[in-house]
Amino acid sequence: MSFFIDVIVPLPLEQRFTYSVTDEEHERLQIGMRVAVPFGKRKVYTSIVAKIHSTPPVRYEAKPVEELLDESPTVTAYQLKLWKWIADYYLCTEGEILKSALPSALLIESETVIEPHPDYDINTIDEDKHLNDSEYLILQALQKQSLLKISEITLILDRKTIFPVINAMAEKGLILINQELNKQYKPKLQKYIKLSDHYSSETELPGLLESLERANKQKEALLKLFSLKAQTKKPISLKVLKEEAGVSDSVIKSLVDKSIFEEYHIKKDRIQYDGDSSSHQINLNDYQTEALEDIKNGFNKHPVCLLQGVTSSGKTEVYIKLIEKVIREGKQTLYLLPEIALTTQLIQRLQDYFGDQVLVYHSKYSVNERVEVYRHVLNGTKGKIVIGARSSIFLPFQDLGLIVVDESHESSFKQFDPAPRYHARDTAIVLASFFKAKTLLGTATPSVESFHNVKQDKYAFAQLTRRYGNVIPPKIELVDLKDQQRKQKMTGHFSETLLNAIKETLKQGQQVILFQNRRGFSPILECNTCGHAPQCPNCDVSLTYHKHNNTLRCHYCGYHIAMQTKCMACGSNDVTTKGFGTEQIETELHAMFEDKVIKRMDLDTTRGKYAYEKIISAFENREIDILVGTQMLTKGLDFRHVKLVGVMNADSLLNFPDFRAHERSFQLLVQVAGRAGRTEEQGQVLIQTYNPYHRILQQVTTNSYDEMFKEQLDERRHFKYPPLFRMIKITFKSRDLNKMNEGSDWLALYYRQIFTTNVLGPEFPAISRIRNQYHKNILIKIPHDQSLAKTKAYVKAGVDKFKSIAQFRSIKVVVNVDPY
Ligand code: ADP
Ligand code: ZN
Ligand code: ZN
């Protein structure tokens, strides 16, 4: 009998492909193993064995596999089951999922690139007795050429089957595979300088200065340290001291060598920061204990529980207790967080408690580190707790007991591009169900759909209504901008109320956070004569003015030109900027608070490798007085000394063209507000708006989640939106506008013949052209009594038919299930 295998190839192809295997290979084969298979003319791909059988394919002759790459499965049966579910639910292919699910180093193909491992000294290969011939030849080639493609190695070794050689070399630590640009991620500790303990008093100064008679620079540095110390009570960083004293590293180093200065680090973990010695033990307060009991009882009836806990109520501590129980039962836990909330703060907190049981799976980690975590989870060798972002639902769990989805309202759990367009929260619930495990959704501001599930008795519910340690919730007030403008009380974009509050807070030595959801200086440059605003030539948007480099930029494609002083349409000199972004706020602040440290946190200032961490730790260490930023500020950060949070303009949030705009505004404002006053003193939140009577803003100030929920749900019912209706969005993209119009009309008509109602569009989205591609959407709304599976089958049939029409071939079609 001859044997065959069906494999999943990492390409966006509908079917699995069948290859033949020899009897000897058949004996070693198991489902979930990686095999190298030839594909197309000359390509070889790493694929996953999904089925072993003895039925030859009907339509083509099965090619033999090139080689087996594993001794035991790399992909588990649970993973294959999850991939199948995702492919069916989100209407994508298993190949697309495979590409997202496995670290790329496990998926070598002909185009894969390798490089020498930085820890292996490639100059010693002649002495290295552990190398076999193939390894020696490859490393020799890498000496001359730092990168090699697998296809090039095929020529060097003059044999076809080389994937196992490459895999083995990676495992031995000789080479790196598919290393991306993001190298190892290690948060850096900032260096601080202080006077050594035995010189700590002023009386020592004259003697010290004398001893530095012939070292002028060192003397200067010493004097500077004294004056800085007198001015501020804060720690003095090496960087500041160098700048202020105008000296180099070596000057400071000499002083350290002489034991006059001492270098030290500030540990950023706030549990130790508090000097709390019992940090490794957690005693829940009564509210937390009750919430924990409610969760446990809830889990007896429901596999999913929603924990609604106000910001700073100590949800993490409740998670930790739950996780502890799961660990004791010998099971694994997955702790999911939005990428940006995956901070060193939180990781440190869990590591302090669980030690090396904690594994972190993070896109900032290198490919090799991700492979390591993957293997640990697969083999159960280390770490029962995985903390990670969205994609960690793809790890090869063996015995999952619990999934915690923290900040579960966050929209970034949904992947928009590329496929698979999955929602990690919803997929996590399905994954947990395979193991009969529980899922806990935690947040201060539940999404409308999660809370709806509680109301429908699909999820259990628990609550934490008090901040931990009797910290009082911040006082939230609205500032009427219209009124302030009429009374001429505005300075730039600051109302008198906000400005006074900032001054007062700074006087008390506390910190301020200001939130503005637009980056750049101002969104639009407009001509007062003809009304023209410079547009991006590639996208359907106006260019944004960036002051620091005096450019006009497109935030969608990166197009930029120099700032214009004359109107490009009519030549008039009368051009003004409209609207405002974080950069403008920062500029205004600098003018008003010259002696204060003001920093900005948005996409533009956090591009560098450690830029984000640097700002955070500088803020924690109180080197920054005012931090201006976009939504980045709202995510899971816990700063001790923030007394005031200001929202520069709430209206731009509320006016967003999206059915969830109001829900999102509520969540965002409550989360931003939660950054204020996390210690004994009550924090203050000021929200500037032109619409102080807007329902959502009223609900934010009175903390009326339930009311917000009820009103939003009524609206969703009325306008047929989730969670009362499901949605599938079909997006068309093409450079040819006419063709796209024609194609999208065709498919809309096709769907209208099937689903008589609830087919909307095709319509242009708010931004109808991006990177020279026109976009149009069809929206299909699905009532709850309509079969989801059948609807999807029809949607898919329509797309397949569309793709088979020759004249539409240049139009890209993207199907997005639950596109929100
Ligand atoms: P949330 O995630 O709900 O916003 P956190 O878990 O960050 O709140 O808790 C807020 C603060 O209170 C943290 O500094 C945390 O260390 C502290 N805290 C909460 N619960 C406890 C506890 N049971 N024992 C000691 N500290 C706690
Ligand atoms: Zn003009
Ligand atoms: Zn553009």
Side-chain angles (χ1 to χ4, degrees), residues 270-271 274 276 281-285 288 309-317 319 349 406-407 464 468 638 640 678:
R270 61 172 181 252
I271 295 172
D274 276 350
D276 186 359
Q281 197 157 11
I282 290 173
N283 297 310
L284 298 186
N285 66 19
Q288 290 171 321
V310 297
T311 53
S312 209
S313 56
K315 292 186 284 294
T316 321
E317 282 67 21
Y319 304 152
R349 220 160 133 192
D406 198 5
E407 310 286 354
L464 276 171
Y468 181 76
D638 186 357
R640 301 254 105 182
R678 289 193 157 223

PDB file of all heavy atoms in Angstrom, residues 270-271 274 276 281-285 288 309-317 319 349 406-407 464 468 638 640 678, ligand 1:
ATOM      1  N   ARG A 270       7.180  49.025  40.973  1.00  0.00           N
ATOM      2  CA  ARG A 270       6.693  49.897  42.023  1.00  0.00           C
ATOM      3  C   ARG A 270       6.417  49.173  43.331  1.00  0.00           C
ATOM      4  O   ARG A 270       6.309  49.790  44.365  1.00  0.00           O
ATOM      5  CB  ARG A 270       5.462  50.643  41.566  1.00  0.00           C
ATOM      6  CG  ARG A 270       4.408  49.723  41.249  1.00  0.00           C
ATOM      7  CD  ARG A 270       3.138  50.368  40.972  1.00  0.00           C
ATOM      8  NE  ARG A 270       2.334  49.214  40.725  1.00  0.00           N
ATOM      9  CZ  ARG A 270       1.906  48.868  39.539  1.00  0.00           C
ATOM     10  NH1 ARG A 270       2.050  49.648  38.549  1.00  0.00           N
ATOM     11  NH2 ARG A 270       1.280  47.746  39.369  1.00  0.00           N
ATOM     12  N   ILE A 271       6.327  47.867  43.302  1.00  0.00           N
ATOM     13  CA  ILE A 271       6.147  47.170  44.573  1.00  0.00           C
ATOM     14  C   ILE A 271       7.390  47.379  45.448  1.00  0.00           C
ATOM     15  O   ILE A 271       7.308  47.705  46.609  1.00  0.00           O
ATOM     16  CB  ILE A 271       5.895  45.671  44.354  1.00  0.00           C
ATOM     17  CG1 ILE A 271       4.571  45.493  43.625  1.00  0.00           C
ATOM     18  CG2 ILE A 271       5.848  44.937  45.672  1.00  0.00           C
ATOM     19  CD1 ILE A 271       4.290  44.094  43.182  1.00  0.00           C
ATOM     20  N   ASP A 274       7.927  51.028  46.620  1.00  0.00           N
ATOM     21  CA  ASP A 274       7.224  51.379  47.844  1.00  0.00           C
ATOM     22  C   ASP A 274       7.958  50.877  49.085  1.00  0.00           C
ATOM     23  O   ASP A 274       7.539  51.160  50.200  1.00  0.00           O
ATOM     24  CB  ASP A 274       5.842  50.740  47.841  1.00  0.00           C
ATOM     25  CG  ASP A 274       4.860  51.594  47.073  1.00  0.00           C
ATOM     26  OD1 ASP A 274       5.212  52.732  46.723  1.00  0.00           O
ATOM     27  OD2 ASP A 274       3.758  51.109  46.833  1.00  0.00           O
ATOM     28  N   ASP A 276       7.981  47.914  50.016  1.00  0.00           N
ATOM     29  CA  ASP A 276       7.105  46.924  50.625  1.00  0.00           C
ATOM     30  C   ASP A 276       7.806  45.574  50.634  1.00  0.00           C
ATOM     31  O   ASP A 276       7.998  44.963  49.597  1.00  0.00           O
ATOM     32  CB  ASP A 276       5.810  46.855  49.816  1.00  0.00           C
ATOM     33  CG  ASP A 276       4.785  45.950  50.457  1.00  0.00           C
ATOM     34  OD1 ASP A 276       5.087  45.360  51.514  1.00  0.00           O
ATOM     35  OD2 ASP A 276       3.707  45.820  49.888  1.00  0.00           O
ATOM     36  N   GLN A 281       3.902  38.423  48.803  1.00  0.00           N
ATOM     37  CA  GLN A 281       2.711  37.827  49.344  1.00  0.00           C
ATOM     38  C   GLN A 281       1.555  38.781  49.127  1.00  0.00           C
ATOM     39  O   GLN A 281       1.711  39.990  49.302  1.00  0.00           O
ATOM     40  CB  GLN A 281       2.896  37.563  50.821  1.00  0.00           C
ATOM     41  CG  GLN A 281       1.859  36.602  51.242  1.00  0.00           C
ATOM     42  CD  GLN A 281       2.257  35.855  52.485  1.00  0.00           C
ATOM     43  OE1 GLN A 281       3.219  36.193  53.159  1.00  0.00           O
ATOM     44  NE2 GLN A 281       1.488  34.856  52.793  1.00  0.00           N
ATOM     45  N   ILE A 282       0.445  38.238  48.717  1.00  0.00           N
ATOM     46  CA  ILE A 282      -0.686  39.114  48.461  1.00  0.00           C
ATOM     47  C   ILE A 282      -1.825  38.744  49.386  1.00  0.00           C
ATOM     48  O   ILE A 282      -2.241  37.592  49.458  1.00  0.00           O
ATOM     49  CB  ILE A 282      -1.152  38.984  47.001  1.00  0.00           C
ATOM     50  CG1 ILE A 282      -0.095  39.604  46.085  1.00  0.00           C
ATOM     51  CG2 ILE A 282      -2.488  39.658  46.782  1.00  0.00           C
ATOM     52  CD1 ILE A 282      -0.365  39.392  44.636  1.00  0.00           C
ATOM     53  N   ASN A 283      -2.267  39.724  50.138  1.00  0.00           N
ATOM     54  CA  ASN A 283      -3.463  39.511  50.920  1.00  0.00           C
ATOM     55  C   ASN A 283      -4.574  40.342  50.313  1.00  0.00           C
ATOM     56  O   ASN A 283      -4.504  41.563  50.296  1.00  0.00           O
ATOM     57  CB  ASN A 283      -3.235  39.938  52.372  1.00  0.00           C
ATOM     58  CG  ASN A 283      -2.164  39.080  53.012  1.00  0.00           C
ATOM     59  OD1 ASN A 283      -2.225  37.847  52.934  1.00  0.00           O
ATOM     60  ND2 ASN A 283      -1.178  39.719  53.595  1.00  0.00           N
ATOM     61  N   LEU A 284      -5.564  39.664  49.806  1.00  0.00           N
ATOM     62  CA  LEU A 284      -6.657  40.395  49.166  1.00  0.00           C
ATOM     63  C   LEU A 284      -7.455  41.148  50.222  1.00  0.00           C
ATOM     64  O   LEU A 284      -7.626  40.666  51.341  1.00  0.00           O
ATOM     65  CB  LEU A 284      -7.581  39.429  48.425  1.00  0.00           C
ATOM     66  CG  LEU A 284      -6.968  38.632  47.283  1.00  0.00           C
ATOM     67  CD1 LEU A 284      -8.055  37.839  46.564  1.00  0.00           C
ATOM     68  CD2 LEU A 284      -6.251  39.538  46.285  1.00  0.00           C
ATOM     69  N   ASN A 285      -7.941  42.315  49.874  1.00  0.00           N
ATOM     70  CA  ASN A 285      -8.851  42.996  50.788  1.00  0.00           C
ATOM     71  C   ASN A 285     -10.252  42.387  50.639  1.00  0.00           C
ATOM     72  O   ASN A 285     -10.467  41.503  49.804  1.00  0.00           O
ATOM     73  CB  ASN A 285      -8.836  44.520  50.559  1.00  0.00           C
ATOM     74  CG  ASN A 285      -9.389  44.914  49.193  1.00  0.00           C
ATOM     75  OD1 ASN A 285     -10.096  44.127  48.558  1.00  0.00           O
ATOM     76  ND2 ASN A 285      -9.052  46.103  48.755  1.00  0.00           N
ATOM     77  N   GLN A 288     -11.778  42.437  47.125  1.00  0.00           N
ATOM     78  CA  GLN A 288     -11.106  41.512  46.205  1.00  0.00           C
ATOM     79  C   GLN A 288     -11.481  40.067  46.525  1.00  0.00           C
ATOM     80  O   GLN A 288     -11.702  39.259  45.618  1.00  0.00           O
ATOM     81  CB  GLN A 288      -9.592  41.702  46.286  1.00  0.00           C
ATOM     82  CG  GLN A 288      -9.117  43.027  45.677  1.00  0.00           C
ATOM     83  CD  GLN A 288      -7.650  43.307  45.968  1.00  0.00           C
ATOM     84  OE1 GLN A 288      -7.161  43.031  47.079  1.00  0.00           O
ATOM     85  NE2 GLN A 288      -6.941  43.872  45.013  1.00  0.00           N
ATOM     86  N   GLY A 309     -13.825  45.937  37.043  1.00  0.00           N
ATOM     87  CA  GLY A 309     -13.178  46.523  38.217  1.00  0.00           C
ATOM     88  C   GLY A 309     -12.671  47.895  37.873  1.00  0.00           C
ATOM     89  O   GLY A 309     -11.945  48.063  36.888  1.00  0.00           O
ATOM     90  N   VAL A 310     -13.030  48.885  38.658  1.00  0.00           N
ATOM     91  CA  VAL A 310     -12.606  50.249  38.351  1.00  0.00           C
ATOM     92  C   VAL A 310     -11.083  50.307  38.292  1.00  0.00           C
ATOM     93  O   VAL A 310     -10.397  49.434  38.853  1.00  0.00           O
ATOM     94  CB  VAL A 310     -13.130  51.263  39.396  1.00  0.00           C
ATOM     95  CG1 VAL A 310     -14.646  51.288  39.381  1.00  0.00           C
ATOM     96  CG2 VAL A 310     -12.609  50.942  40.784  1.00  0.00           C
ATOM     97  N   THR A 311     -10.541  51.306  37.619  1.00  0.00           N
ATOM     98  CA  THR A 311      -9.090  51.407  37.502  1.00  0.00           C
ATOM     99  C   THR A 311      -8.482  51.482  38.900  1.00  0.00           C
ATOM    100  O   THR A 311      -9.025  52.150  39.775  1.00  0.00           O
ATOM    101  CB  THR A 311      -8.658  52.659  36.715  1.00  0.00           C
ATOM    102  OG1 THR A 311      -9.274  53.798  37.305  1.00  0.00           O
ATOM    103  CG2 THR A 311      -9.067  52.563  35.264  1.00  0.00           C
ATOM    104  N   SER A 312      -7.375  50.758  39.068  1.00  0.00           N
ATOM    105  CA  SER A 312      -6.667  50.765  40.345  1.00  0.00           C
ATOM    106  C   SER A 312      -7.390  50.019  41.466  1.00  0.00           C
ATOM    107  O   SER A 312      -7.120  50.228  42.625  1.00  0.00           O
ATOM    108  CB  SER A 312      -6.417  52.224  40.781  1.00  0.00           C
ATOM    109  OG  SER A 312      -5.270  52.289  41.561  1.00  0.00           O
ATOM    110  N   SER A 313      -8.304  49.114  41.082  1.00  0.00           N
ATOM    111  CA  SER A 313      -9.005  48.355  42.117  1.00  0.00           C
ATOM    112  C   SER A 313      -8.233  47.109  42.512  1.00  0.00           C
ATOM    113  O   SER A 313      -8.570  46.426  43.468  1.00  0.00           O
ATOM    114  CB  SER A 313     -10.398  47.973  41.634  1.00  0.00           C
ATOM    115  OG  SER A 313     -10.319  47.262  40.412  1.00  0.00           O
ATOM    116  N   GLY A 314      -7.170  46.804  41.770  1.00  0.00           N
ATOM    117  CA  GLY A 314      -6.386  45.620  42.091  1.00  0.00           C
ATOM    118  C   GLY A 314      -6.901  44.378  41.394  1.00  0.00           C
ATOM    119  O   GLY A 314      -6.952  43.296  41.980  1.00  0.00           O
ATOM    120  N   LYS A 315      -7.246  44.516  40.136  1.00  0.00           N
ATOM    121  CA  LYS A 315      -7.681  43.352  39.358  1.00  0.00           C
ATOM    122  C   LYS A 315      -6.535  42.358  39.217  1.00  0.00           C
ATOM    123  O   LYS A 315      -6.737  41.150  39.314  1.00  0.00           O
ATOM    124  CB  LYS A 315      -8.146  43.797  37.960  1.00  0.00           C
ATOM    125  CG  LYS A 315      -9.425  44.606  37.982  1.00  0.00           C
ATOM    126  CD  LYS A 315      -9.943  44.899  36.575  1.00  0.00           C
ATOM    127  CE  LYS A 315      -9.164  45.986  35.868  1.00  0.00           C
ATOM    128  NZ  LYS A 315      -9.281  47.327  36.458  1.00  0.00           N
ATOM    129  N   THR A 316      -5.322  42.897  39.013  1.00  0.00           N
ATOM    130  CA  THR A 316      -4.165  42.027  38.814  1.00  0.00           C
ATOM    131  C   THR A 316      -3.992  41.059  39.988  1.00  0.00           C
ATOM    132  O   THR A 316      -3.662  39.893  39.787  1.00  0.00           O
ATOM    133  CB  THR A 316      -2.894  42.880  38.664  1.00  0.00           C
ATOM    134  OG1 THR A 316      -3.214  44.034  37.902  1.00  0.00           O
ATOM    135  CG2 THR A 316      -1.800  42.102  38.001  1.00  0.00           C
ATOM    136  N   GLU A 317      -4.207  41.553  41.194  1.00  0.00           N
ATOM    137  CA  GLU A 317      -4.060  40.703  42.378  1.00  0.00           C
ATOM    138  C   GLU A 317      -5.077  39.564  42.370  1.00  0.00           C
ATOM    139  O   GLU A 317      -4.777  38.448  42.769  1.00  0.00           O
ATOM    140  CB  GLU A 317      -4.189  41.537  43.654  1.00  0.00           C
ATOM    141  CG  GLU A 317      -2.946  42.335  44.015  1.00  0.00           C
ATOM    142  CD  GLU A 317      -2.602  43.450  43.039  1.00  0.00           C
ATOM    143  OE1 GLU A 317      -3.497  43.891  42.285  1.00  0.00           O
ATOM    144  OE2 GLU A 317      -1.429  43.861  43.002  1.00  0.00           O
ATOM    145  N   TYR A 319      -6.385  38.287  39.617  1.00  0.00           N
ATOM    146  CA  TYR A 319      -5.904  37.348  38.589  1.00  0.00           C
ATOM    147  C   TYR A 319      -4.847  36.423  39.194  1.00  0.00           C
ATOM    148  O   TYR A 319      -4.836  35.227  38.948  1.00  0.00           O
ATOM    149  CB  TYR A 319      -5.240  38.064  37.403  1.00  0.00           C
ATOM    150  CG  TYR A 319      -6.046  39.114  36.678  1.00  0.00           C
ATOM    151  CD1 TYR A 319      -5.400  40.169  36.044  1.00  0.00           C
ATOM    152  CD2 TYR A 319      -7.431  39.041  36.596  1.00  0.00           C
ATOM    153  CE1 TYR A 319      -6.106  41.137  35.352  1.00  0.00           C
ATOM    154  CE2 TYR A 319      -8.142  40.009  35.899  1.00  0.00           C
ATOM    155  CZ  TYR A 319      -7.480  41.065  35.283  1.00  0.00           C
ATOM    156  OH  TYR A 319      -8.162  42.013  34.600  1.00  0.00           O
ATOM    157  N   ARG A 349       5.897  42.476  37.846  1.00  0.00           N
ATOM    158  CA  ARG A 349       5.000  42.187  38.954  1.00  0.00           C
ATOM    159  C   ARG A 349       4.663  40.703  39.002  1.00  0.00           C
ATOM    160  O   ARG A 349       4.657  40.092  40.065  1.00  0.00           O
ATOM    161  CB  ARG A 349       3.717  42.983  38.718  1.00  0.00           C
ATOM    162  CG  ARG A 349       3.139  43.596  39.962  1.00  0.00           C
ATOM    163  CD  ARG A 349       2.220  44.700  39.533  1.00  0.00           C
ATOM    164  NE  ARG A 349       0.950  44.647  40.205  1.00  0.00           N
ATOM    165  CZ  ARG A 349      -0.100  45.366  39.824  1.00  0.00           C
ATOM    166  NH1 ARG A 349      -0.021  46.146  38.763  1.00  0.00           N
ATOM    167  NH2 ARG A 349      -1.220  45.292  40.491  1.00  0.00           N
ATOM    168  N   ASP A 406      -6.918  40.576  29.883  1.00  0.00           N
ATOM    169  CA  ASP A 406      -6.897  41.833  30.629  1.00  0.00           C
ATOM    170  C   ASP A 406      -7.147  42.990  29.659  1.00  0.00           C
ATOM    171  O   ASP A 406      -6.803  42.890  28.483  1.00  0.00           O
ATOM    172  CB  ASP A 406      -5.531  42.000  31.310  1.00  0.00           C
ATOM    173  CG  ASP A 406      -5.581  43.037  32.424  1.00  0.00           C
ATOM    174  OD1 ASP A 406      -6.673  43.549  32.724  1.00  0.00           O
ATOM    175  OD2 ASP A 406      -4.513  43.335  32.993  1.00  0.00           O
ATOM    176  N   GLU A 407      -7.716  44.066  30.151  1.00  0.00           N
ATOM    177  CA  GLU A 407      -8.109  45.200  29.280  1.00  0.00           C
ATOM    178  C   GLU A 407      -8.953  44.660  28.127  1.00  0.00           C
ATOM    179  O   GLU A 407      -8.740  45.015  26.969  1.00  0.00           O
ATOM    180  CB  GLU A 407      -6.878  45.929  28.722  1.00  0.00           C
ATOM    181  CG  GLU A 407      -5.823  46.308  29.741  1.00  0.00           C
ATOM    182  CD  GLU A 407      -6.235  47.482  30.627  1.00  0.00           C
ATOM    183  OE1 GLU A 407      -7.296  48.073  30.385  1.00  0.00           O
ATOM    184  OE2 GLU A 407      -5.503  47.777  31.571  1.00  0.00           O
ATOM    185  N   LEU A 464     -15.533  44.909  41.014  1.00  0.00           N
ATOM    186  CA  LEU A 464     -14.705  45.580  42.023  1.00  0.00           C
ATOM    187  C   LEU A 464     -15.014  47.066  41.887  1.00  0.00           C
ATOM    188  O   LEU A 464     -14.638  47.685  40.893  1.00  0.00           O
ATOM    189  CB  LEU A 464     -13.217  45.357  41.746  1.00  0.00           C
ATOM    190  CG  LEU A 464     -12.570  44.086  42.254  1.00  0.00           C
ATOM    191  CD1 LEU A 464     -11.157  43.953  41.683  1.00  0.00           C
ATOM    192  CD2 LEU A 464     -12.515  44.078  43.767  1.00  0.00           C
ATOM    193  N   TYR A 468      -8.103  50.188  45.284  1.00  0.00           N
ATOM    194  CA  TYR A 468      -7.402  49.516  46.380  1.00  0.00           C
ATOM    195  C   TYR A 468      -6.845  50.535  47.358  1.00  0.00           C
ATOM    196  O   TYR A 468      -6.408  51.608  46.975  1.00  0.00           O
ATOM    197  CB  TYR A 468      -6.262  48.652  45.832  1.00  0.00           C
ATOM    198  CG  TYR A 468      -5.530  47.933  46.927  1.00  0.00           C
ATOM    199  CD1 TYR A 468      -6.092  46.812  47.533  1.00  0.00           C
ATOM    200  CD2 TYR A 468      -4.308  48.398  47.392  1.00  0.00           C
ATOM    201  CE1 TYR A 468      -5.451  46.169  48.562  1.00  0.00           C
ATOM    202  CE2 TYR A 468      -3.656  47.754  48.427  1.00  0.00           C
ATOM    203  CZ  TYR A 468      -4.233  46.648  49.011  1.00  0.00           C
ATOM    204  OH  TYR A 468      -3.590  46.011  50.031  1.00  0.00           O
ATOM    205  N   ASP A 638       0.678  52.707  35.494  1.00  0.00           N
ATOM    206  CA  ASP A 638       0.319  53.058  36.858  1.00  0.00           C
ATOM    207  C   ASP A 638       1.375  54.001  37.409  1.00  0.00           C
ATOM    208  O   ASP A 638       2.444  53.586  37.817  1.00  0.00           O
ATOM    209  CB  ASP A 638       0.242  51.772  37.691  1.00  0.00           C
ATOM    210  CG  ASP A 638      -0.261  52.053  39.086  1.00  0.00           C
ATOM    211  OD1 ASP A 638      -0.494  53.237  39.423  1.00  0.00           O
ATOM    212  OD2 ASP A 638      -0.411  51.084  39.846  1.00  0.00           O
ATOM    213  N   ARG A 640       2.527  56.929  40.091  1.00  0.00           N
ATOM    214  CA  ARG A 640       2.180  57.277  41.456  1.00  0.00           C
ATOM    215  C   ARG A 640       1.873  58.750  41.683  1.00  0.00           C
ATOM    216  O   ARG A 640       1.164  59.110  42.589  1.00  0.00           O
ATOM    217  CB  ARG A 640       3.337  56.885  42.371  1.00  0.00           C
ATOM    218  CG  ARG A 640       3.678  55.430  42.312  1.00  0.00           C
ATOM    219  CD  ARG A 640       3.203  54.753  43.533  1.00  0.00           C
ATOM    220  NE  ARG A 640       2.024  53.972  43.243  1.00  0.00           N
ATOM    221  CZ  ARG A 640       1.379  53.296  44.167  1.00  0.00           C
ATOM    222  NH1 ARG A 640       1.779  53.314  45.413  1.00  0.00           N
ATOM    223  NH2 ARG A 640       0.320  52.601  43.859  1.00  0.00           N
ATOM    224  N   ARG A 678      -3.547  58.064  41.989  1.00  0.00           N
ATOM    225  CA  ARG A 678      -3.531  56.667  42.423  1.00  0.00           C
ATOM    226  C   ARG A 678      -2.999  56.525  43.838  1.00  0.00           C
ATOM    227  O   ARG A 678      -2.842  55.435  44.346  1.00  0.00           O
ATOM    228  CB  ARG A 678      -2.736  55.823  41.428  1.00  0.00           C
ATOM    229  CG  ARG A 678      -3.496  55.673  40.121  1.00  0.00           C
ATOM    230  CD  ARG A 678      -2.897  54.611  39.248  1.00  0.00           C
ATOM    231  NE  ARG A 678      -3.902  54.117  38.313  1.00  0.00           N
ATOM    232  CZ  ARG A 678      -4.064  52.834  38.021  1.00  0.00           C
ATOM    233  NH1 ARG A 678      -3.309  51.933  38.563  1.00  0.00           N
ATOM    234  NH2 ARG A 678      -4.990  52.462  37.169  1.00  0.00           N
TER     235      ARG A 678
HETATM  236  P1  ADP B   1      -6.082  47.662  38.245  1.00  0.00           P
HETATM  237  O1  ADP B   1      -5.364  46.677  37.378  1.00  0.00           O
HETATM  238  O2  ADP B   1      -7.419  47.174  38.708  1.00  0.00           O
HETATM  239  O3  ADP B   1      -6.115  49.045  37.676  1.00  0.00           O
HETATM  240  P2  ADP B   1      -3.867  47.263  39.976  1.00  0.00           P
HETATM  241  O4  ADP B   1      -3.912  45.780  39.967  1.00  0.00           O
HETATM  242  O5  ADP B   1      -2.837  47.938  39.148  1.00  0.00           O
HETATM  243  O6  ADP B   1      -5.290  47.826  39.604  1.00  0.00           O
HETATM  244  O7  ADP B   1      -3.762  47.741  41.494  1.00  0.00           O
HETATM  245  C1  ADP B   1      -3.589  49.079  41.862  1.00  0.00           C
HETATM  246  C2  ADP B   1      -2.523  49.191  42.925  1.00  0.00           C
HETATM  247  O8  ADP B   1      -2.932  48.626  44.161  1.00  0.00           O
HETATM  248  C3  ADP B   1      -1.244  48.505  42.554  1.00  0.00           C
HETATM  249  O9  ADP B   1      -0.157  49.308  42.911  1.00  0.00           O
HETATM  250  C4  ADP B   1      -1.266  47.225  43.358  1.00  0.00           C
HETATM  251  O10 ADP B   1       0.029  46.788  43.650  1.00  0.00           O
HETATM  252  C5  ADP B   1      -2.020  47.640  44.600  1.00  0.00           C
HETATM  253  N1  ADP B   1      -2.763  46.515  45.165  1.00  0.00           N
HETATM  254  C6  ADP B   1      -3.944  46.047  44.721  1.00  0.00           C
HETATM  255  N2  ADP B   1      -4.365  45.001  45.454  1.00  0.00           N
HETATM  256  C7  ADP B   1      -3.429  44.784  46.386  1.00  0.00           C
HETATM  257  C8  ADP B   1      -3.281  43.848  47.493  1.00  0.00           C
HETATM  258  N3  ADP B   1      -4.223  42.931  47.743  1.00  0.00           N
HETATM  259  N4  ADP B   1      -2.177  43.951  48.257  1.00  0.00           N
HETATM  260  C9  ADP B   1      -1.239  44.887  48.013  1.00  0.00           C
HETATM  261  N5  ADP B   1      -1.315  45.792  47.003  1.00  0.00           N
HETATM  262  C10 ADP B   1      -2.395  45.762  46.213  1.00  0.00           C
END
